[in-house]
Amino acid sequence: QVQLVESGGGLVQAGGSLRLSCAASGRTFSSYGMGWFRQAPGKEREFVAVIRWGTTSTYYADSVKGRFTISRDNAKNTVYLQMNSLKPEDTAVYYCAATGAGGSYYKTQAYEYAYWGQGTQVTVSS
């Protein structure tokens, strides 16, 4: 069982930066792949980034590639999402999620994740 708590959301102007954090409970954090998803009002939840378990291998949605960076600190049971050059279209509730080993090399679908945080709001003003 893994419990996830996001923090770090807020209001920022276009071009600004935010760093989201996701603190995980459980002693086997390093064995889980960690992903970030987002959901804007009236839209479906979409994949943002993933970092594989046991490695620092990462994969990003095209819409955030080059602007966002996902990282993890296994000693702190925490995964981060550094978001730079933010755009109004990045406005959404951001969720972190945990997935076990096996399946796709990079998991980009919400159904592939078993555990979810409660979400944190990110609002980018123009």
Side-chain angles (χ1 to χ4, degrees):
Q1 192 79 7
V2 176
Q3 293 184 326
L4 306 172
V5 179
E6 302 98 333
S7 61
L11 173 64
V12 64
Q13 288 188 331
S17 298
L18 282 175
R19 188 176 80 156
L20 305 183
S21 299
C22 175
S25 66
R27 295 176 294 175
T28 58
F29 174 75
S30 62
S31 66
Y32 287 90
M34 300 298 297
W36 285 96
F37 288 75
R38 66 186 182 186
Q39 188 167 18
K43 295 187 176 181
E44 294 188 353
R45 192 168 299 190
E46 66 172 359
F47 167 76
V48 175
V50 58
I51 185 165
R52 280 176 53 84
W53 64 275
T55 76
T56 57
S57 182
T58 59
Y59 182 78
Y60 298 91
D62 288 343
S63 58
V64 307
K65 199 173 297 182
R67 300 188 298 122
F68 290 11
T69 302
I70 187 172
S71 62
R72 67 191 297 164
D73 185 337
N74 289 336
K76 295 182 178 180
N77 281 9
T78 301
V79 63
Y80 305 97
L81 185 69
Q82 177 66 44
M83 305 186 295
N84 299 328
S85 303
L86 283 161
K87 304 175 181 180
E89 52 263 44
D90 294 319
T91 295
V93 177
Y94 283 71
Y95 299 88
C96 71
T99 179
S104 305
Y105 191 81
Y106 289 121
K107 298 181 181 180
T108 63
Q109 304 299 313
Y111 69 80
E112 296 180 290
Y113 290 78
Y115 305 103
W116 292 83
Q118 83 289 349
T120 186
Q121 176 70 48
V122 171
T123 303
V124 184
S125 63
S126 57

